[in-house]
Amino acid sequence: MNHIRKYKLFNFIALIAAAAYLSGCTKLDITPKSTLTPDIFPTTPAQYLAATGPIYTSFRTAPGREYWLLQNLSTDENVLVARGGNWLDGGTYSTVNLHTVTPDNGMIESCWSWGYKTISTCNQVLTLFSSVAESTSKQQTVAEIKTMRALSYFYMMDLFGNVPISKTFGDTTNLGTQTRAQVFAFVESELLAQIPNLSATVDASTYGRPTKFLAYAILAKMYLNAEYYTGTQRYQDAVVMCDNIINGGKYSLDADYLGMFKPNNGPLIKDFIFAIPYDGIQATGMYYSRWTINPNLKNKYKMPYTPDGPVYTYKQFYALYNDPNDIRRKQYLTGKQYNNDGTPINITTTNIGLDASYSGSAPNATVIHQLEFTPDIVWKNNATFDIGNDELANEEGYRNNKFYPDSLNTDRNQGNDVPMFRYADVLLEKAEAIMRGASATNGATALTLVNQVRTRAKASLLLSITLQDILDERGRELAIEMWRRNDMIRFGQFEKAWGIKTDANPNKRIFPIPRPEMQLNPKLVQNPGY
C-alpha cells in the first residue's frame, strides 16, 4: 500500500477536523463549538465515522513524538544525549532517563495534555450524539468513542497512576484525583460494556479504529499488570483476553518482521491489532527517524531533511539480540556503515572535528573517516548529560532503524503507521501469564508461545523458559514500541542502574502530575515523591 492509498483511507480526518474539535486538557467546561448539530448530522454510517475524526486527530499526536520519547527514554533501552550545547533542553530528556524528573518537565505536560485532550474530545462528540436517534451506526460509533476514551484513560493510569475521571463533557464536579484502582475499575467496566457493540471486522474499513479485539488487547494488558496496578493478580483473566484474540483467527505473525514498520505499512499487516495511521501529509506527527538516524545517513536513505540523531541505544539492551540469525538484529545500525552499493560512507572532517581531544600538531588538517557506530556511550560531563560534540561522539551508541526512514515526504513527517497493540505482544503476554501461574489453554505452553514469536524472527528455538527469558524476548520483539517501561516495572527492574542513572526510588514508576495542571485544577493531588 503506497502513500496515496493511505491518504485516501484516512482523508476523512482532515476533512472534518474542524467540525467538532476541542482544545483543552483538563478544562472540561468549554462550550462545544461545532458546525454539526443533532438535527442535521449525523445520520449515515459515513457521517458517524466522520464526526469521530477529531478524536483520532488528537490521539495520534503524542505517540509520534512526546509519548514515544517519554516511554523509551525512561528505560534501559534508549537515551537522548546532549552534544555540546545541543539537546540538553533544560534537562527535559536527561531527567527522564535519570529518573530525576520534576513536575515542570514539558514532555510530561505534553503527555498529560494529549490524554485529556483526547478524553475531552471523546466526551464532546458523545454530547453531540446524545440527542441523535438510536441506530445501529450510532450504537457502534458510541462504542468506538468510549473505547478510545477508555484507552486514553489506560495510558493516563499507566503514566500517572492517580488521575481524574470525567465521563460527561462540561462536568466540573469530577476533577478530583481518583486512585489508580478506581481508574482501573472504570476502564475495565467501560471496555466490557462496549465489546458487544464493537465490530469484529478486521480489514481496511476498521483499520485505525477500535474493534472488539482492541478492547480485548487493552484488557489483556491491564490484567497482566493488575497486581502492580491494583494489588490483585488477574493472570487467568489475561489468558482469557489473549485467547479471545488468538481464537478469533483474525491476526497472525507476518513473515516479514522488518517490513511491518516501513512507510508503506497499513491494513495489510496481520500483526497489527490497533495502529495509528500516519501518512506524512494529512496525518502528520510521526518523527522517529528524525531522532535515531545519524545526519551522515541522509543520502543513503534519501531523507528530505538532515536528521538530528540524538537517540542512542544502550549496549546492554542491544546485547539481548544474542542470536546471530535473529532478523530483528537488522533493525539496528552497528559498526562501519556503507552505502547501498557497498561503498563506505565517508565523512570529510578535521582532526579536531573528529576527536575534540586531539592534541597533535595539525588540528585543522583534513581527514576522511568512515562512519562507524560504536557500542559505548561515554559522558564527558554528567551534570549536563554531555557526551561531546565531535564526530566520534556523534557515532557513539547503536541506532535503531526499525521505523525505516520515509523518503517520499518533503519534511520530517513520516508515513510509517505506528502499532500500539500487536498480535506478537498478545502471544508473549499469554506466555507470561502462564509462567506467573495461569492455567495453559488450547494446548499452548509458555514455551511454545514464545517460540512462535522466535520462529517468525528466525531465531533458534528455546528448549526451556524462565520469566527473564520472556522479558528479554519482549525487549527483542517490541523494541522502541513504547512497552519497555511497562515491562520493566512489572518485572521489578525499573529501579536498576543503566548509563549514569543510579536512582532506585520506586516512586518514579509513575510520573508527576504536571505543575501547570496542578495550578489549573486545585483538586488534583500530586503523586508521592514529587
Side-chain angles (χ1 to χ4, degrees):
M1 186 176 74
N2 58 30
H3 279 314
I4 294 175
R5 180 176 174 185
K6 289 170 77 172
Y7 167 78
K8 288 180 179 178
L9 185 60
F10 297 101
N11 193 31
F12 74 88
I13 294 178
L15 293 176
I16 49 75
Y21 197 78
L22 169 68
S23 62
C25 306
T26 49
K27 297 178 180 178
L28 304 178
D29 57 345
I30 297 176
T31 301
K33 295 180 179 179
S34 174
T35 58
L36 309 178
T37 58
D39 57 326
I40 63 170
F41 184 86
T43 58
T44 69
Q47 289 171 336
Y48 272 105
L49 178 60
T52 64
I55 295 168
Y56 301 101
T57 301
S58 174
F59 186 78
R60 77 164 185 262
T61 55
R65 295 175 293 191
E66 295 88 356
Y67 179 72
W68 183 84
L69 287 167
L70 188 62
Q71 291 288 51
N72 286 306
L73 300 182
S74 59
T75 74
D76 65 346
E77 182 177 354
N78 296 301
V79 59
L80 197 161
V81 296
R83 297 198 303 250
N86 303 316
W87 288 104
L88 180 61
D89 289 357
T92 297
Y93 313 109
S94 60
T95 56
V96 170
N97 193 249
L98 296 170
H99 289 193
T100 57
V101 72
T102 73
D104 297 304
N105 187 288
M107 191 160 57
I108 291 174
E109 163 68 4
S110 292
C111 288
W112 178 281
S113 298
W114 160 63
Y116 276 100
K117 182 176 182 179
T118 305
I119 290 164
S120 294
T121 306
C122 289
N123 286 341
Q124 181 186 8
V125 179
L126 288 172
T127 298
L128 173 69
F129 287 177
S130 62
S131 300
V132 179
E134 294 300 319
S135 67
T136 302
S137 294
K138 175 182 175 180
Q139 194 174 48
Q140 178 178 324
T141 306
V142 166
E144 291 175 0
I145 295 169
K146 290 186 175 181
T147 300
M148 288 301 298
R149 185 176 65 182
L151 176 59
S152 299
Y153 271 118
F154 165 75
Y155 288 126
M156 293 298 97
M157 175 187 70
D158 184 66
L159 290 174
F160 300 103
N162 314 296
V163 297
I165 299 173
S166 175
K167 296 177 281 186
T168 305
F169 185 78
D171 178 14
T172 59
T173 62
N174 293 302
L175 298 182
T177 300
Q178 303 292 305
T179 66
R180 179 178 255 177
Q182 289 173 313
V183 182
F184 182 103
F186 167 68
V187 175
E188 178 186 23
S189 63
E190 190 82 335
L191 291 171
L192 291 174
Q194 305 320 311
I195 287 171
N197 294 323
L198 290 169
S199 175
T201 299
V202 177
D203 59 20
S205 70
T206 57
Y207 184 75
R209 293 163 51 200
T211 63
K212 294 180 188 292
F213 304 103
L214 172 60
Y216 296 144
I218 303 168
L219 288 166
K221 190 71 69 173
M222 289 175 59
Y223 293 148
L224 190 65
N225 288 280
E227 188 166 17
Y228 164 63
Y229 287 150
T230 70
T232 301
Q233 62 90 2
R234 302 279 298 273
Y235 299 118
Q236 198 65 51
D237 291 333
V239 168
V240 170
M241 292 302 155
C242 291
D243 280 346
N244 286 341
I245 297 169
I246 295 168
N247 297 339
K250 304 284 188 177
Y251 303 96
S252 60
L253 299 175
D254 296 83
D256 183 3
Y257 177 84
L258 297 175
M260 293 194 299
F261 307 97
K262 290 186 176 180
N264 64 346
N265 62 357
L268 296 180
I269 305 298
K270 295 299 183 184
D271 200 337
F272 290 3
I273 296 172
F274 181 70
I276 301 176
Y278 294 91
D279 65 15
I281 302 171
Q282 294 293 342
T284 58
M286 196 289 192
Y287 289 166
Y288 296 174
S289 288
R290 168 186 175 181
W291 295 309
T292 64
I293 299 298
N294 180 285
N296 294 295
L297 292 169
K298 174 183 178 179
N299 291 335
K300 175 178 180 177
Y301 293 116
K302 298 180 174 61
M303 301 175 78
Y305 63 91
T306 300
D308 306 295
V311 174
Y312 300 0
T313 297
Y314 280 119
K315 70 176 183 179
Q316 291 83 359
F317 183 83
Y318 177 76
L320 294 176
Y321 297 86
N322 52 10
D323 186 329
N325 297 317
D326 191 333
I327 62 173
R328 296 170 299 190
R329 289 167 59 103
K330 295 182 180 180
Q331 69 185 284
Y332 288 93
L333 303 176
T334 66
K336 293 184 181 297
Q337 297 298 300
Y338 298 86
N339 290 304
N340 293 327
D341 62 3
T343 58
I345 297 177
N346 289 327
I347 302 161
T348 300
T349 182
T350 63
N351 282 318
I352 197 74
L354 177 66
D355 182 356
S357 66
Y358 175 82
S359 58
S361 60
N364 296 316
T366 299
V367 295
I368 296 177
H369 166 76
Q370 184 176 358
L371 180 64
E372 179 179 8
F373 296 121
T374 55
D376 291 302
I377 303 169
V378 181
W379 276 266
K380 302 295 195 303
N381 186 325
N382 289 8
T384 58
F385 218 59
D386 187 15
I387 68 165
N389 204 29
D390 54 26
E391 183 56 43
L392 293 182
N394 200 18
E395 297 176 13
E396 292 179 8
Y398 294 154
R399 309 303 171 87
N400 190 292
N401 194 28
K402 187 178 208 170
F403 290 89
Y404 200 83
D406 187 349
S407 62
L408 296 183
N409 291 316
T410 59
D411 58 20
R412 298 177 177 186
N413 288 288
Q414 296 194 197
N416 317 60
D417 293 354
V418 173
M420 305 300 283
F421 292 87
R422 285 207 285 122
Y423 183 68
D425 190 357
V426 169
L427 297 178
L428 295 175
E429 287 177 322
K430 181 177 177 181
E432 181 184 336
I434 292 171
M435 286 293 294
R436 293 187 184 276
S439 299
T441 60
N442 302 326
T445 66
L447 181 61
T448 61
L449 290 162
V450 171
N451 277 336
Q452 282 187 55
V453 176
R454 290 181 63 81
T455 296
R456 191 261 297 275
K458 298 188 170 46
S460 59
L461 300 184
L462 299 179
L463 301 179
S464 61
I465 197 168
T466 65
L467 274 173
Q468 184 63 45
D469 291 329
I470 292 178
L471 177 61
D472 292 348
E473 195 64 35
R474 291 187 60 80
R476 287 183 284 265
E477 178 66 22
L478 300 167
I480 72 165
E481 292 186 54
M482 300 172 281
W483 288 119
R484 183 66 173 174
R485 171 182 158 272
N486 182 276
D487 292 342
M488 293 188 77
I489 292 171
R490 189 172 65 256
F491 279 81
Q493 297 188 23
F494 198 58
E495 285 72 57
K496 72 179 186 180
W498 55 73
I500 58 173
K501 178 257 188 189
T502 58
D503 190 289
N505 184 348
N507 286 326
K508 303 304 174 63
R509 294 175 186 174
I510 56 176
F511 295 106
I513 308 300
R515 193 179 309 280
E517 300 300 330
M518 296 286 293
Q519 294 169 343
L520 177 69
N521 178 7
K523 294 182 180 180
L524 292 174
V525 177
Q526 186 57 272
N527 286 324
Y530 295 103

